[in-house]
Amino acid sequence: MKIKKTVYFILMFLPFVAALTVLQYLPDKIPAHYGFDNQVTRWGSKYEALLYPIVTVLMGIFLLAMAKLAAKQEEHGESNKNVVIVAGIFVLVLFNILNGYSLYTAFHKVENLSAVPLDINRLIFGIVGVLMIAVGNIMPKLRRNSIVGLRTYWSSKNEETWKKCQRLGGISFIIGGIMIIGVCITTKGIPCLCSVLGIWVTLIVIDVFYTYKIAGRVKRREE
């Protein structure tokens, strides 16, 4: 856990180090916002390059708080905390890459993201796919809590329902992550975005329905 926390804090503050290092080399005006057509819609001060680092630190603090709350609801061990920290590492990796991407577009004053060799949608969702696979593998270890996991009204009914739902959640995360990575390999831009959203919606519907069915089966057996 110490190694994971060390990696966590490095990723949490690395965007600040990177942004402050290159800030003096950035032009005074940088692209601050892009539209769905990948064209720049607003220019801003180079100091706006510090926004990603600030958001990264705030996100890191938030996830640490969630990890502590989840751990308090676990009687033995730190399975809940471990899951949140691992997920947090991947989230922070995503923010670090987005920060690097933002600094690149700022330094080169990119007016059209289509000119950048790496598609932003492929980049973001590819990492999200890897995150889903990683979390899916450790999700069954989650103990019942009100913070993280496949949490619905039905999945929290009892310990048996919770365990079965987390196993399903882990499997669906892994399958969904693999599908999203496949989408990122074969598509880009808006088609990539729409396909990923479609996968998420499908997984949510299936998972929620499954928690309802499992809770019903457990209740009938107990009766």
Side-chain angles (χ1 to χ4, degrees):
M1 181 63 78
K2 288 184 178 180
I3 295 177
K4 291 177 183 176
K5 284 188 175 180
T6 300
V7 173
Y8 187 97
F9 282 108
I10 290 175
L11 292 171
M12 186 171 165
F13 293 104
L14 185 58
F16 252 121
V17 176
L20 291 174
T21 300
V22 304
L23 189 63
Q24 59 183 318
Y25 303 107
L26 295 179
D28 292 331
K29 294 294 181 181
I30 62 173
H33 185 268
Y34 293 91
F36 284 108
D37 59 354
N38 287 336
Q39 300 291 331
V40 63
T41 58
R42 185 175 72 82
W43 295 83
S45 166
K46 67 179 182 179
Y47 293 101
E48 291 191 37
L50 296 174
L51 290 177
Y52 263 122
I54 292 173
V55 172
T56 303
V57 172
L58 293 177
M59 178 59 71
I61 293 173
F62 171 76
L63 291 173
L64 283 175
M66 292 299 100
K68 290 182 179 179
L69 287 174
K72 287 181 179 179
Q73 298 181 18
E74 184 177 3
E75 293 184 3
H76 305 288
E78 295 187 326
S79 296
N80 293 352
K81 185 176 181 180
N82 183 57
V83 172
V84 178
I85 292 296
V86 170
I89 288 174
F90 278 92
V91 171
L92 293 176
V93 167
L94 175 60
F95 274 82
N96 273 262
I97 292 176
L98 288 174
N99 181 65
Y101 191 91
S102 176
L103 292 176
Y104 174 87
T105 58
F107 182 79
H108 292 280
K109 301 184 72 171
V110 177
E111 297 186 23
N112 184 356
L113 289 180
S114 299
V116 180
L118 185 59
D119 181 74
I120 186 64
N121 289 293
R122 281 181 164 177
L123 176 65
I124 294 175
F125 295 124
I127 297 172
V128 170
V130 174
L131 166 62
M132 290 176 65
I133 294 173
V135 172
N137 276 285
I138 56 179
M139 202 168 164
K141 298 179 181 179
L142 280 172
R143 300 295 182 266
R144 189 152 53 131
N145 69 92
S146 60
I147 306 297
V148 294
L150 179 51
R151 293 171 44 250
T152 67
Y153 171 79
W154 302 285
S155 67
S156 301
K157 284 285 187 178
N158 54 59
E159 196 64 35
E160 181 182 355
T161 303
W162 174 266
K163 289 180 179 179
K164 290 183 177 181
C165 290
Q166 300 320 302
R167 283 198 293 270
L168 170 81
I171 294 172
S172 68
F173 262 57
I174 293 172
I175 294 174
I178 293 173
M179 292 174 66
I180 287 174
I181 291 174
V183 166
C184 292
I185 293 174
T186 56
T187 64
K188 62 180 181 179
I190 298 301
C192 178
L193 171 62
C194 293
S195 298
V196 171
L197 291 178
I199 292 172
W200 281 343
V201 170
T202 302
L203 290 178
I204 290 172
V205 172
I206 293 174
D207 288 356
V208 171
F209 178 74
Y210 184 85
T211 64
Y212 167 75
K213 295 293 289 184
I214 286 298
R217 290 175 186 173
V218 172
K219 182 178 180 181
R220 286 193 296 272
R221 190 170 65 248
E222 291 177 346
E223 293 174 347

